[in-house]
């Protein structure tokens, strides 16, 4: 009898250095949560057992990255490490100008400061919180145009991150081309459930932009995961490498913003790319004002090296297969037990549909926050609400995101997370909503203070 092919997909690494994590009891967690004003951002990380708050900057670097760190050239100007990063970025992304920044939002702030002003409108498939805030900070309006399938958490469509192409056409027609300084496409669509954007959709958006003479920029944070999901799900791409797919996508645009804390596999870093010489000059002038000289942009030379190596590793097919399969593992284990999640599982996170999980808590009482807090109380797991607390009236869904840091947790950690979620699901009717007692004018979820609504 021929041997069965081995189907188990293992972590494609072995562990060389370990970091202890700390157990706490439920009474201790209750006390810590109250002291944190019921906002998981305000907890001390030492009081968290499994931290799924974000996949941003929380990954483990490889031996190659650590070796590259030692090669970092810390020269203020003309650093060899910047040349390395630029070479790698130009090879993958194909854009002419590469401007390093300390993280993604610095690239956003510079891009929107140069391109946007009051009266402008910036369409995006779905703005991430920092992207929306940076657009609005210039006085411009940030408009989300998700595809209709993207708004139904349970619908199993392969590219729920897509932009609503007809909506984009309409918006440009009704508001006028001169009010739209650029269009953004976020790959993958983080606030929309970590869902990928198809090549076909990116092509359609690009054609509309080109027809109207509007630049198209990618928010490229998770470009490698998006490329792998295209390879898996879009006809005609199965035989192409993630790198070739990424190149094809970026060729449809005029530039990008990037947080290297995601698919740059680094703990800090980012960049802004453009093909436009004049814009690049203005962007570098602003960069010098607040970030640093254009060959380091607020980063150490060693960080530039870590990102250069990390970008290559993010496109490795063994890594991407493990990444996508291990994220789906969490999603499939909880959804098969009835937990409502955004389907199908995306690249970097599983999103629980908190409105469906807690139908007795209205959006105004933050069902996502109620659920995230209970996961912490039950098992020391930290997740994040993406919903009414984060986006106020612009929230189209109330989700709890369980983001998986890259190369950090093993399958047994994830089995533990599954068990905790299922225990909370079993007694979901006991959970109650919250109300706000303090909010900041921007990005309120980071510092908001809440209290139980029943008190
Ligand atoms: C889609 C998206 N865009 C932009 C950002 C901002 O990047 P950073 O946190 O590096 O400023 C993030 C970060 O989570 C993101 O997910």
């Amino acid at each position: 009898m021929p041997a069965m092919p081995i189907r188990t997909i293992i972590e494609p690494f072995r562990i060389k250095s370990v970091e202890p994590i700390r157990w706490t009891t439920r009474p201790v967690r209750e006390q810590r949560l109250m002291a944190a004003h019921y906002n998981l951002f305000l907890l001390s990380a030492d009081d968290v057992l499994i931290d799924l708050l974000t996949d941003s900057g929380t990954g483990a670097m490889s031996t190659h990255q650590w070796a590259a760190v030692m090669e970092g050239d810390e020269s203020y100007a003309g650093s060899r490490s910047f040349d390395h990063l630029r070479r790698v970025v130009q090879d993958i992304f194909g854009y002419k100008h590469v401007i390093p920044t300390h993280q993604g939002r610095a690239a956003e702030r510079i891009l929107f400061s140069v391109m946007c002003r009051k009266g402008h409108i910036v369409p995006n498939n779905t703005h991430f919180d920092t992207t929306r805030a940076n657009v609005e900070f210039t006085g411009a309006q940030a408009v989300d145009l998700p595809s209709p399938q993207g708004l139904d958490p349970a619908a199993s469509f392969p590219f729920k991150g897509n932009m609503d192409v007809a909506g984009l056409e309409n918006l440009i027609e009704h508001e006028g081309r001169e009010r739209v300084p650029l269009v953004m496409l976020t790959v993958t669509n983080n606030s929309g459930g970590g869902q990928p954007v198809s090549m076909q959709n990116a092509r359609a958006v690009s054609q509309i932009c080109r027809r109207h003479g509007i630049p198209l920029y990618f928010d490229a944070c998770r470009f490698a995961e998006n490329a792998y999901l295209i390879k898996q799900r879009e006809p005609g791409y199965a035989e192409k490498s993630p790198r070739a797919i990424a190149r094809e996508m970026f060729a449809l645009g005029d530039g990008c913003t990037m947080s290297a804390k995601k698919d740059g596999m680094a703990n800090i870093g980012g960049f802004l790319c453009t093909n436009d010489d004049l814009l690049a000059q203005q962007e570098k002038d602003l960069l010098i004002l607040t970030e640093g000289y254009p060959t380091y942009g607020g980063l150490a030379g060693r960080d530039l090296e870590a990102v250069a190596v990390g970008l290559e590793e993010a496109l490795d097919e063994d890594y991407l297969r493990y990444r996508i399969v291990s994220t789906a593992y969490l999603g499939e284990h909880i959804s098969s037990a009835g937990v409502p999640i955004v389907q199908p599982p995306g690249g970097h996170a599983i999103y629980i549909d908190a409105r469906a999980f807690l139908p007795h808590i209205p959006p105004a009482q933050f069902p996502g926050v109620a659920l995230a807090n209970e996961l912490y109380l039950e098992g020391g797991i930290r997740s994040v609400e993406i919903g009414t607390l984060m986006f106020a009236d612009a929230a189209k869904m109330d989700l709890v995101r369980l983001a998986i840091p890259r190369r950090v947790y093993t399958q047994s950690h994830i089995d533990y997370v599954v068990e905790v979620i299922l225990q909370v699901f079993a007694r979901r009717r006991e959970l109650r909503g919250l109300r706000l007692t303090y909010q900041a004018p921007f990005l309120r979820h980071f510092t908001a203070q809440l209290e139980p609504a029943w008190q």
Side-chain angles (χ1 to χ4, degrees), residues 124-127 132 142-148 150-153 191-192 353 355 363 386-388 391-399:
N124 196 325
N125 43 347
T126 310
H127 287 88
R132 169 172 288 278
V143 173
D144 289 343
L145 293 175
S147 67
L151 295 176
D152 177 359
S191 310
D353 178 357
R355 286 188 193 172
I386 298 197
T388 306
F391 293 120
D393 294 340
K396 297 196 164 71
M397 298 185 266
D398 276 284
L399 305 174

Side-chain angles (χ1 to χ4, degrees), residues 103-105 108 128 130 186 190 219 221-222 259 261-262:
Q103 62 184 93
R105 70 197 68 184
E108 291 162 11
F128 188 64
T130 59
T186 304
N190 185 8
D219 178 340
C221 295
R222 298 177 182 84
S259 168
K261 300 171 74 174
K262 285 82 172 176

Side-chain angles (χ1 to χ4, degrees), residues 155-224:
S156 211
F157 181 76
F159 291 104
K160 288 167 75 175
N162 282 353
M163 180 177 265
D164 174 3
V165 175
L168 179 65
E169 243 344 336
N170 270 340
L171 182 137
I172 298 170
E173 208 152 285
H174 284 106
E175 302 294 345
R177 180 263 166 265
E178 56 302 332
R179 289 193 66 196
V180 184
L182 76 162
V183 171
M184 295 282 294
L185 202 50
T186 304
V187 296
T188 57
N189 186 343
N190 185 8
S191 310
Q195 299 291 319
V197 174
S198 70
M199 192 69 79
Q200 192 188 23
N201 187 254
R203 211 177 288 124
V205 169
S206 172
Q207 279 164 4
I208 294 174
C209 289
R210 297 253 148 102
R211 186 151 25 86
H212 292 279
I214 300 173
L216 170 62
Y217 278 73
F218 288 94
D219 178 340
C221 295
R222 298 177 182 84
F223 75 97

Side-chain angles (χ1 to χ4, degrees), residues 91-92 199 223-224 226-232 236-249 314-317 320:
D91 182 53
I92 298 170
M199 192 69 79
F223 75 97
N226 200 92
Y228 194 75
L229 289 164
I230 287 179
K231 182 179 170 73
Q232 281 192 320
Y237 287 91
E239 302 306 321
K240 294 201 171 153
S241 69
R243 180 185 295 266
I245 296 170
R247 277 203 192 123
E248 184 178 334
M249 181 165 274
L315 287 168
D316 178 82
E317 286 207 38
L320 281 170

Side-chain angles (χ1 to χ4, degrees), residues 210-356:
R210 297 253 148 102
R211 186 151 25 86
H212 292 279
I214 300 173
L216 170 62
Y217 278 73
F218 288 94
D219 178 340
C221 295
R222 298 177 182 84
F223 75 97
E225 292 169 5
N226 200 92
Y228 194 75
L229 289 164
I230 287 179
K231 182 179 170 73
Q232 281 192 320
R233 298 180 186 175
E234 189 160 353
Y237 287 91
E239 302 306 321
K240 294 201 171 153
S241 69
R243 180 185 295 266
I245 296 170
R247 277 203 192 123
E248 184 178 334
M249 181 165 274
F250 292 128
L252 298 168
D254 302 282
C256 71
T257 57
M258 173 75 188
S259 168
K261 300 171 74 174
K262 285 82 172 176
D263 280 349
M265 309 286 265
N267 301 119
I268 195 71
F271 50 87
L272 169 59
C273 292
T274 182
N275 281 335
D276 184 317
D277 296 340
L278 183 63
L279 268 184
Q281 196 49 54
Q282 294 170 332
E283 288 164 356
K284 283 183 202 170
D285 291 346
L286 252 189
L287 185 86
I288 292 172
L289 195 64
T290 55
E291 288 279 301
Y293 194 71
T295 58
Y296 72 86
L299 294 167
R302 53 181 167 269
D303 300 324
L304 301 171
E305 290 286 350
V307 174
V309 175
L311 287 167
E312 302 275 9
E313 292 182 355
L315 287 168
D316 178 82
E317 286 207 38
D318 287 342
Y319 160 73
L320 281 170
R321 183 180 314 110
Y322 140 79
R323 173 79 175 149
I324 300 300
V325 167
S326 57
T327 301
Y329 178 91
L330 169 59
E332 282 156 14
H333 277 73
I334 58 174
S335 72
S336 63
V339 175
I341 65 164
V342 175
Q343 293 284 8
H348 70 293
I350 292 301
Y351 295 68
I352 301 177
D353 178 357
R355 286 188 193 172

